[in-house]
Amino acid sequence: MKKYKIVPFLCLLVFFAGCGPVDPAGDGGANAGTAGIEDGSMALYPNATDTIPDEDMAEFSSYVNANLHLMGTMMFNSCLFDVTGDGHEDICSSFFTGSGIVTTLIIVYDLQEKQGYMLNDRGRYDYMIEGVEDGRLLVNRTSYQSEGKGLIGTIVFEDGSLYFDDGTDVKGIPYKTLALFGSCAEFLPDGNTSSGNYLSTADFDLVRRFLFNIDKNKIELVHGISSSEEVYTSLERISYDDWEYAVREIYMEEDPGRLLQRLDDSYTGECAVYYDADDDCIYMERTYKYFDDLYFDVTDVSKSGSDYVITYDVFSEYSGDRDGKVRTVSVTIEEADNRYGYGLVGVETK
């Protein structure tokens, strides 16, 4: 099958996107939101969505407008492809969005479940649909503001989330598991869990940052950046039971109470992790100045017995280097009887 290419000057269209809401349903905007989105004038599959009922397109429009709020947003390169694996085609579309910092992202909308999913790493990576080839939805990932051609991969749908698959053999490890232990590569010092007190004896400034990402599937956003006593903070929480489970079963602490004793007493400074007995939750609060600038790529996975060694390249948005890489870290995990199926063995900087 022919591989379709994006027209070279397509990126210029973002500067000419208008401020009207997206209206793929063709209903004059009756079902559109206020995100300021227009249909693109170019597409790889110009008539891909013509056969979709108006009410389904209206639902897609509503999802887009509820989840994209930046000025100058434009939809382009839409096609139909079964990303979710349920045997039914999903609406797949690329979007330009933003003013100043322009992001390219992908939205997949499941017409059967009436649910949308986004592949979006704003300020880090841009994603756009390249076409469909050999039964795969091809995606081009480029680093933010990169002049390179990017990396061609595909999309993986797993447990309600979209992931970019660059072709690395991950030895069957789920993508959510790779993301979970990527936080170890980002924040934790070299060491191993054989002592049973790896987290509770490590530098707490590093552990504090790690705890913001201890198990993102269980962390609840209480509120984003908001004003409280003239301090702007974001507040997240995780139930104590879920926190203790992760500390004990995933990160192999024999006594989570030792780590609990090292938590902050309350919110002070730029960030804090503290326990609140009123609702039995661990709270994580930080100012806008303390959001993580680190991210990672998985570059290799090897297997030895029941152990897996995952190699991560860790990047910083503010490193000053052209590619932003600050270190390479190996994280060893082993098969375990917990909700992820794996537990941490050790962290080593290469």
Side-chain angles (χ1 to χ4, degrees), residues 101 151 210 281 293:
I101 297 177
L151 181 65
F210 169 75
C281 285
D293 69 311

Side-chain angles (χ1 to χ4, degrees), residues 84-266:
T84 58
D86 62 359
H88 300 278
E89 290 182 322
D90 308 304
I91 303 175
C92 308
S93 188
S94 307
F95 289 84
F96 282 127
T97 185
S99 176
I101 297 177
V102 178
T103 296
T104 308
L105 57 92
I106 292 172
I107 292 179
V108 172
Y109 191 78
D110 185 337
L111 291 168
Q112 302 301 308
E113 299 296 327
K114 313 300 184 186
Q115 177 63 51
Y117 308 96
M118 298 178 65
L119 183 62
N120 180 19
D121 287 320
R122 178 170 170 79
R124 297 176 177 178
Y125 291 115
D126 289 321
Y127 301 95
M128 65 174 66
I129 294 171
E130 282 274 304
V132 176
E133 182 179 292
D134 298 330
R136 299 188 305 152
L137 179 68
L138 298 183
V139 172
N140 186 9
R141 186 187 75 179
T142 56
S143 297
Y144 175 63
Q145 291 188 331
S146 171
E147 298 178 359
K149 295 182 179 179
L151 181 65
I152 301 297
T154 188
I155 291 179
V156 171
F157 179 77
E158 181 185 281
D159 291 340
S161 297
L162 300 179
Y163 300 91
F164 178 76
D165 177 4
D166 65 1
T168 299
D169 181 2
V170 298
K171 303 295 189 295
I173 297 179
Y175 281 83
K176 70 173 184 180
T177 303
L178 296 173
L180 176 77
F181 291 106
S183 295
C184 299
E186 289 176 318
F187 302 113
L188 292 182
D190 289 0
N192 62 73
T193 61
S194 60
S195 64
N197 61 0
Y198 172 51
L199 293 182
S200 57
T201 58
D203 182 341
F204 189 68
D205 284 341
L206 298 175
V207 172
R208 183 189 287 111
R209 295 190 72 184
F210 169 75
L211 291 176
F212 280 99
N213 303 275
I214 191 167
D215 186 351
K216 290 183 178 179
N217 290 284
K218 297 296 183 178
I219 291 175
E220 174 190 4
L221 178 66
V222 180
H223 64 70
I225 296 295
S226 64
S227 177
S228 175
E229 298 180 356
E230 299 182 354
V231 176
Y232 291 86
T233 66
S234 173
L235 186 63
E236 299 165 288
R237 69 182 176 189
I238 182 172
S239 74
Y240 178 78
D241 288 345
D242 285 332
W243 180 86
E244 182 186 40
Y245 180 91
V247 169
R248 186 190 300 275
E249 302 296 334
I250 301 174
Y251 303 107
M252 316 308 290
E253 288 284 311
E254 290 181 354
D255 183 4
R258 288 196 294 251
L259 182 58
L260 181 66
Q261 292 175 358
R262 299 190 67 196
L263 300 188
D264 303 301
D265 294 329
S266 61

Side-chain angles (χ1 to χ4, degrees), residues 29-70:
N31 293 289
T34 58
I37 303 168
E38 282 192 351
D39 291 308
S41 59
M42 286 193 252
L44 296 175
Y45 303 90
N47 303 308
T49 60
D50 287 355
T51 60
I52 298 175
D54 288 348
E55 58 270 23
D56 288 338
M57 289 303 296
E59 290 178 1
F60 173 53
S61 172
S62 295
Y63 176 83
V64 172
N65 286 314
N67 287 275
L68 294 183
H69 309 287
L70 301 175

Side-chain angles (χ1 to χ4, degrees), residues 252-326:
M252 316 308 290
E253 288 284 311
E254 290 181 354
D255 183 4
R258 288 196 294 251
L259 182 58
L260 181 66
Q261 292 175 358
R262 299 190 67 196
L263 300 188
D264 303 301
D265 294 329
S266 61
Y267 175 74
T268 57
E270 293 185 348
C271 77
V273 178
Y274 52 90
Y275 173 69
D276 189 334
D278 289 341
D279 59 2
D280 199 29
C281 285
I282 303 293
Y283 278 84
M284 294 160 282
E285 188 169 4
R286 51 187 161 174
T287 69
Y288 71 95
K289 295 180 180 179
Y290 203 86
F291 277 83
D292 301 329
D293 69 311
L294 299 176
Y295 59 105
F296 58 81
D297 281 342
V298 175
T299 60
D300 184 64
V301 179
S302 60
K303 187 177 187 298
S304 176
S306 62
D307 289 354
Y308 296 80
V309 179
I310 311 168
T311 302
Y312 297 91
D313 280 346
V314 179
F315 300 86
S316 171
E317 297 175 14
Y318 309 117
S319 70
D321 293 339
R322 182 174 179 83
D323 66 358
K325 189 169 84 168
V326 293

